[in-house]
């Protein structure tokens, strides 16, 4: 259990005020540097995609095929995480450039951007780690915390987790379809149809691109291009799954009952975001490849501030956490991901009558 | 007045699956600096001073430019410290075979874009502009009285060029106001037009001589200079103080003929009624703030720390159009009050009458 000092109401307010101040200070200095950053990311996404696709057009010749798969995979990863995810949060809306407008941006992913803006920007970021509210908590397939009710179906969850990882982009896309509500009769067929059509359109678009148009363009090397695209998508799916699971399901991450939402102040909200998120240590390249979700804590405190600022904000956030005796959940990738895997295997099983760890609610 | 509209590009599902506008533009700019899917990128061909504080820019647009009519404006875009800004300027020439477009920019003290255009832009640079918009057309009847103050001369120049090429014998009086001789724009161009238009009378008027207000627009001055003003179709363009004065005089005299006025400064607040407090809610950023009915939603949103997109700040360019989710607002330009939920409003010319919720 992380060691968090309980805060008095005054301390909690001061804690929130310091984070607000950090936010204002950063927002006031947004400009040229951040615009240049996101354009460089955009350019690297496009150029790695172009290079990857050209390599794959050379067929199964191993050096070019492997390099092509890796480049295309990296392009998709950065497209989804550092470019698409961050732009859709409105982080670069301050530029007023239509190319980086958060509410119209569309990404290279099976999930329609409008779905994502709802399930991720609204549901996940508002109700982070709240049981029954945050659908990202195991995506309805995996039990990760003892507070979640055990059912026999969870015994096979290591297998479900693997399948979710392999098919992650589709898993994310169908989240907004809310199929459980269709099955239990809470959603009519008409409403489901309205959700299903844009999903099908987007799925058709990204699939046609990777599995039809580019293979056909490659002529004699169509099988190589098809396999290469399949592998690049697989790399992207596995990597994004790993990073996202490391963001909220590590050993020291906490979940909360819905009751915390009653009269939750902004300072409370900050505290919940802090306790529900976890960071990963790594190099600058690692941070970019993780879409700066390696700074998950800073991202959840300030989801609409450009991600390239999180590294410098993290220094101040750590200082504030230390000052108020709050645990700052960070660690090496191997340690954090190891603890996620442990949770997947451990909570496949029931709690065995062990007393549930009592989790103090924020403040 | 219509908003600057996006061009409808024929869309093809297969092409869309392969490439979108942003991708196309990314690669196109390597092929040619002006090649774009839809955006209008211009090359700056000429920059000429037309007054001590005014520069005229001649641009060569790319093929996406759809042309313009005299009296229309265009948005000029510039990225300054990572933030894209825009202002609208009147086109000053007419369509010609070489395809050049011209606009003039008065340097405004503290003006972000006008100073950037004056100080940073060089011949050979590339500028992005929007399609021409606005529908202020010249009263077609002859004779004419054109009244221009300061940079209000810019759309008038476009009309004079049109008249010189289409009806060079048109009977036109041009009253041109400026602070002093140095800031009287386009004198060389007007001299050239006088050569081509025998019935054009140009009356330059300086409003500030040695710090004293002289030659300010008024009834006596108009009667002395243009005794037949009542028989002319009038058009006034310039600062609100000038266009308001012209409009009042026309109304008091009940002149039959049409008068068009166009202000180049923001509309003035109606100071007749006292401002009252309202609550402004910004749904996207989840804020509720104390506001008042006495200033525009754009000003207040900015005071509340939001950064909505904006351009001309006087209701011309539609850059600040935003969805009003609920509440009643007053439109300073039209004088209308509307309470319709979900309508799109221009923040820069809208003041709140009741509590208002905006999609910001």
């Amino acid at each position: 259990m992380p060691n968090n000092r309980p805060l008095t109401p005054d301390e909690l307010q001061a804690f929130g005020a310091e984070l607000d101040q950090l936010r204002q200070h950063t927002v006031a200095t947004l400009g040229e540097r951040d615009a240049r950053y996101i354009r460089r990311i955009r350019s690297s996404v496009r150029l790695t995609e172009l290079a990857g696709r050209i390599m794959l057009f050379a067929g199964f010749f191993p050096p070019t095929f492997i390099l092509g798969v890796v480049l295309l995979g990296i392009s998709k990863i950065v497209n989804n995480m550092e470019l698409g995810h961050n732009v859709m949060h409105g982080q670069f809306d301050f530029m007023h450039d239509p190319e980086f407008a958060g509410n119209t941006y569309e990404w290279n992913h099976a999930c329609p951007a409008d779905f994502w803006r709802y399930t991720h920007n609204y549901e996940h970021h508002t109700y982070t780690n709240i049981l029954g509210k945050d659908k990202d908590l195991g995506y309805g397939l995996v039990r990760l915390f003892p507070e979640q009710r055990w059912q026999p179906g969870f015994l096979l969850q290591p297998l479900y987790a693997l399948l979710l990882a392999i098919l992650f982009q589709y898993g994310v896309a169908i989240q907004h379809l809310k199929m459980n509500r269709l099955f239990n009769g809470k959603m009519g067929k008409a409403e489901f149809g309205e959700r299903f059509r844009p999903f099908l359109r987007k799925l058709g678009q990204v699939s046609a691109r990777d599995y039809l148009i580019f293979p056909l363009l490659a002529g004699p090397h169509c099988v190589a291009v098809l396999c290469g695209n399949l592998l690049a998508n697989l790399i992207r799916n596995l990597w994004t799954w790993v990073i996202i699971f490391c963001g909220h399901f590590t050993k020291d991450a906490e979940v909360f009952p819905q009751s915390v939402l009653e009269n939750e102040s902004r300072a409370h909200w900050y505290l919940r975001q802090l306790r529900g998120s976890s960071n990963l240590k790594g190099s600058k390249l690692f941070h970019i490849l993780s879409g700066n979700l390696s700074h998950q804590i800073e991202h959840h405190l300030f989801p609409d501030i450009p991600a390239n600022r999180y590294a410098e904000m993290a220094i101040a956030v750590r200082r504030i956490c230390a000052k108020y005796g709050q645990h700052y959940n960070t660690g090496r990738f191997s340690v954090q991901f190891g603890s996620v895997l442990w949770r997947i295997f451990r909570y496949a099983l029931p709690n065995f009558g062990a007393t549930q760890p009592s989790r103090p609610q924020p403040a | 007045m219509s908003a600057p509209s996006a061009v409808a590009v024929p869309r093809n599902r297969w092409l869309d699956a392969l490439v979108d506008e942003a991708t196309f533009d990314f690669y196109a700019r390597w092929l040619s600096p002006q090649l774009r899917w839809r955006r209008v990128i211009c090359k700056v061909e000429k920059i000429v001073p037309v007054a001590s504080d005014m520069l005229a820019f001649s641009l060569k647009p790319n093929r996406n430019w759809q042309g313009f009519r005299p009296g229309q404006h265009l948005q000029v875009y510039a990225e300054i410290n990572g933030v894209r800004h825009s202002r609208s300027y009147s086109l000053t020439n007419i369509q010609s075979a070489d395809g050049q477009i011209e606009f003039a920019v008065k340097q405004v003290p503290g003006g972000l874009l006008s100073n950037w255009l004056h100080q940073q832009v060089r011949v050979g640079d590339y500028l992005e502009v929007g399609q021409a918009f606005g529908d202020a057309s010249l009263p077609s009847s002859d004779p004419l009285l054109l009244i221009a103050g300061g940079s209000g001369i810019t759309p008038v120049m476009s009309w004079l060029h049109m008249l010189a090429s289409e009806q060079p014998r048109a009977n036109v009086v041009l009253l041109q106001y400026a602070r002093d001789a140095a800031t009287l724009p386009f004198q060389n161009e007007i001299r050239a037009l006088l050569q081509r238009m025998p019935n054009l009378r140009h009356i330059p008027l300086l409003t500030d001589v040695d710090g004293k207000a002289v030659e300010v627009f008024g009834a006596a001055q108009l009667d002395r200079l243009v005794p037949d003003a009542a028989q002319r179709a009038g058009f006034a363009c310039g600062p609100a103080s000038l266009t308001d004065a012209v409009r009042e005089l026309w109304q008091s005299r009940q002149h039959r003929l049409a008068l068009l006025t166009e202000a180049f400064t923001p509309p003035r607040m109606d100071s007749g009624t006292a401002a009252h407090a309202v609550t402004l809610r910004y749904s996207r950023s989840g804020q509720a703030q104390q506001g008042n009915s006495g200033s525009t939603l754009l000003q207040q949103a900015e005071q509340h720390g939001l950064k909505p997109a904006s351009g001309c700040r006087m209701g011309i360019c539609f850059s600040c159009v935003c969805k009003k989710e609920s509440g009643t607002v007053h439109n300073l330009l039209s004088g209308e009050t509307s309470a319709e939920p979900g309508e799109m409003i221009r923040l820069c010319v809208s003041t709140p009458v009741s509590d208002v919720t905006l999609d910001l």
Side-chain angles (χ1 to χ4, degrees):
Chain A
M1 240 354 255
N3 188 14
N4 287 316
R5 180 157 65 85
L7 298 178
T8 66
D10 285 348
E11 280 179 318
L12 183 63
Q13 283 317 308
F15 168 78
E18 290 206 32
L19 289 171
D20 276 338
Q21 208 177 8
L22 173 61
R23 175 196 174 77
Q24 280 157 14
H25 174 76
T26 308
V27 167
T29 59
L30 294 180
E32 180 84 46
R33 164 187 161 199
D34 309 279
R36 201 178 323 121
Y37 178 80
I38 199 64
R39 291 206 170 100
R40 274 193 194 154
I41 291 294
R42 183 267 328 262
S43 303
S44 61
V45 165
R46 297 214 190 285
L47 295 175
T48 46
E49 180 183 0
L50 182 72
R53 293 202 190 275
I54 289 173
M55 296 275 174
L56 290 176
F57 271 38
F60 278 117
F61 179 57
T64 54
F65 183 77
I66 293 168
L67 193 58
V69 168
V70 170
L71 282 170
L72 188 55
I74 288 176
S75 174
K76 283 171 180 283
I77 284 169
V78 181
N79 173 297
N80 290 175
M81 305 185 84
E82 188 67 350
L83 183 62
H85 164 255
N86 289 332
V87 167
M88 282 192 283
H89 265 296
Q91 292 179 1
F92 297 91
D93 279 8
F94 78 91
M95 294 165 66
H96 294 154
D97 183 334
E99 186 182 350
F100 299 104
N103 56 357
T104 54
Y105 195 84
E106 188 60 62
W107 58 350
N108 178 353
H109 194 281
C111 178
D114 283 334
F115 283 23
W116 177 261
R117 279 183 274 266
Y118 185 83
T119 56
H120 178 82
N121 290 5
Y122 169 61
E123 286 188 334
H124 169 60
H125 273 271
T126 311
Y127 301 116
T128 311
N129 278 28
I130 288 181
L131 293 161
K133 286 284 226 180
D134 182 0
K135 307 297 189 305
D136 283 16
L137 265 181
Y139 292 81
L141 292 170
V142 185
R143 177 175 180 255
L144 295 153
F145 292 88
E147 290 87 340
Q148 291 173 295
R149 198 154 55 87
W150 183 81
Q151 288 166 355
F154 286 129
L155 284 170
L156 288 176
Q157 73 174 15
L159 185 64
Y160 305 155
L162 182 64
L163 282 173
L164 178 65
I166 290 170
L167 301 170
F168 196 51
Q169 68 163 331
Y170 307 111
V172 167
I174 63 171
Q175 211 184 359
H176 190 54
L177 296 178
K178 308 228 185 298
M179 286 195 283
N180 58 328
R181 291 173 63 84
L182 178 73
F183 296 141
N184 67 21
K186 283 186 181 159
M187 191 197 300
K189 281 214 173 98
E191 190 192 339
F192 183 76
E194 269 178 32
R195 286 169 188 250
F196 197 64
R197 272 187 297 275
F199 162 75
L200 214 57
R201 203 180 313 124
K202 188 72 202 288
L203 186 66
Q205 207 182 64
V206 293
S207 308
R209 190 199 296 236
D210 277 347
Y211 303 132
L212 195 65
I213 297 172
F214 280 114
L216 287 178
L217 285 175
H221 295 305
C222 62
V223 179
V225 169
L226 185 80
C227 294
N229 291 349
L230 203 64
L231 286 171
N233 279 321
L234 178 67
I235 291 175
R236 179 264 310 269
N237 286 351
L238 293 175
W239 178 250
T240 48
W241 178 87
V242 166
I243 292 299
I244 286 174
F245 268 54
C246 282
H248 300 289
F249 314 140
T250 53
K251 174 172 157 282
D252 288 341
E254 297 176 41
V255 288
F256 310 95
Q258 295 187 16
S259 56
V260 299
L261 288 169
E262 289 162 22
N263 299 320
E264 189 182 49
S265 67
R266 186 159 176 83
H268 270 112
W269 181 85
Y270 276 139
L271 200 58
R272 173 159 63 84
Q273 300 297 341
L274 170 68
R275 291 183 181 177
S277 308
S278 47
N279 282 10
L280 301 168
K281 291 178 181 167
S283 65
K284 195 168 178 195
L285 181 65
F286 173 78
H287 291 309
I288 290 174
L289 288 178
S290 76
N292 270 302
L293 293 180
S294 48
H295 293 116
Q296 190 79 238
I297 293 173
E298 287 71 28
H299 175 56
H300 265 265
L301 295 173
F302 313 108
D304 57 348
I305 286 183
N308 51 305
R309 296 298 188 104
Y310 291 157
E312 61 190 43
M313 295 181 92
I315 299 167
V317 172
R318 271 190 102 132
R319 183 183 50 73
I320 295 169
C321 288
K323 181 173 166 187
Y324 291 89
Q326 300 301 306
H327 178 60
Y328 185 87
N329 184 351
T330 186
R332 290 210 327 267
F333 172 69
S334 54
V335 174
Q336 297 284 61
F337 186 55
S339 74
V340 171
L341 289 179
W342 181 84
R343 276 189 187 275
I344 292 172
F345 283 94
R346 167 62 188 86
Y347 294 111
L349 306 172
N351 296 350
F352 297 125
T355 49
Q356 282 210 355
S358 64
R359 289 183 183 277
Q361 292 174 18
Chain B
M1 186 178 288
S2 59
S5 57
V7 190
V9 177
R11 308 200 73 164
N12 176 303
R13 275 178 69 165
W14 291 103
L15 190 65
D16 268 4
L18 265 182
V19 65
D20 53 54
E21 181 180 348
T23 313
F24 179 89
D25 284 356
F26 177 80
Y27 290 111
R29 80 183 71 200
W30 301 98
L31 297 174
S32 152
Q34 283 181 269
L35 183 61
R36 295 291 189 283
W37 180 292
R38 190 175 56 97
R39 288 180 166 190
V40 182
I41 307 295
C42 302
K43 186 171 187 183
V44 180
E45 307 252 285
K46 211 162 62 175
I47 303 176
V48 180
V50 289
S52 65
D53 58 354
M54 202 184 234
L55 291 177
F57 294 81
S58 298
L59 311 179
K60 178 91 179 161
N62 64 11
R63 295 172 62 175
N64 297 331
W65 174 250
Q66 295 181 319
F68 67 101
R69 298 187 307 277
Q72 287 196 302
H73 331 272
L74 85 174
Q75 289 290 109
V76 177
Y77 297 98
E79 191 166 308
I80 302 169
N81 188 23
V83 181
R84 185 174 151 103
H85 297 272
S86 72
R87 293 288 184 275
S88 45
Y89 295 103
S90 290
L91 289 144
T92 55
N93 67 332
I94 52 173
Q95 293 217 74
S96 59
D98 64 7
Q100 287 210 350
I101 58 176
E102 292 177 15
F103 63 90
V105 179
K106 182 175 171 161
Q107 193 165 19
V108 181
L112 192 62
L113 212 69
S114 71
N115 280 292
W116 185 83
L117 286 164
H118 272 248
Q119 289 159 16
Q120 306 289 327
V121 178
R122 299 281 175 269
V123 169
D125 288 353
Y126 296 97
L127 273 184
E128 181 173 358
V129 304
Q131 297 290 350
F133 67 102
D135 49 14
S137 56
L138 197 63
S140 56
S141 55
D142 187 18
L144 291 168
L145 170 59
L146 305 176
I147 303 170
S151 58
I153 188 69
T154 49
V156 172
M157 289 308 294
S158 182
W159 284 319
L160 289 174
H161 283 295
M162 179 190 75
L163 290 169
S165 76
E166 291 176 8
Q167 328 167 36
R169 307 204 68 81
N171 180 344
V172 183
V173 173
L174 169 61
L175 293 186
Q176 189 188 10
Y177 293 86
R179 217 171 47 241
D180 50 46
T183 57
L184 196 64
F186 287 113
Q187 294 313 291
N188 290 336
E189 290 75 4
I190 291 173
R191 264 195 292 281
L193 286 162
L194 286 166
Q195 299 289 316
R196 296 166 63 194
M197 299 178 67
N199 301 321
L200 169 64
R201 196 148 63 92
H202 176 223
I203 308 173
L205 296 156
L206 305 179
T207 57
D208 181 11
V209 175
D210 298 330
K212 276 186 287 189
V214 293
E215 302 285 20
V216 178
F217 176 85
Q221 185 198 51
L222 185 70
D223 292 340
R224 172 165 54 86
L225 297 171
V226 195
D228 62 348
Q231 276 77 53
R232 292 174 178 270
F235 178 86
C237 188
S241 56
L242 174 68
T243 57
D244 287 353
V246 174
R247 195 183 302 114
E248 279 164 29
L249 184 65
W250 250 247
Q251 280 165 357
S252 71
R253 294 188 167 181
Q254 297 180 321
H255 281 177
R256 258 180 321 109
L257 290 170
L259 174 77
L260 283 167
T261 58
E262 187 165 19
F264 265 50
T265 47
R268 285 177 294 184
M269 292 291 161
D270 179 12
S271 53
T273 52
H276 58 270
V278 295
T279 302
L280 301 179
R281 291 189 184 80
Y282 304 108
S283 59
R284 199 180 290 257
S285 49
Q287 291 187 50
Q289 299 271 6
Q290 193 62 243
N292 69 74
S293 64
S295 58
T296 65
L297 288 167
L298 181 62
Q299 290 167 335
Q300 300 193 56
E302 286 172 345
Q303 282 160 15
H304 294 149
L306 284 87
K307 293 182 176 172
S310 70
C312 68
R313 308 181 77 90
M314 51 175 137
I316 294 177
C317 73
F318 289 72
S319 300
C320 63
V321 166
C322 169
K323 189 164 90 183
K324 179 202 73 186
E325 292 171 354
S326 68
T328 306
V329 295
H330 175 73
N331 182 322
L332 292 171
L333 289 182
S334 67
E336 284 167 14
T337 298
S338 65
E340 187 161 337
E343 71 178 332
M344 305 302 285
I345 59 169
R346 280 167 282 171
L347 298 176
C348 70
V349 292
S350 298
T351 55
V353 177
S354 69
D355 294 353
V356 168
T357 303
L358 296 172
D359 181 28
L360 275 180

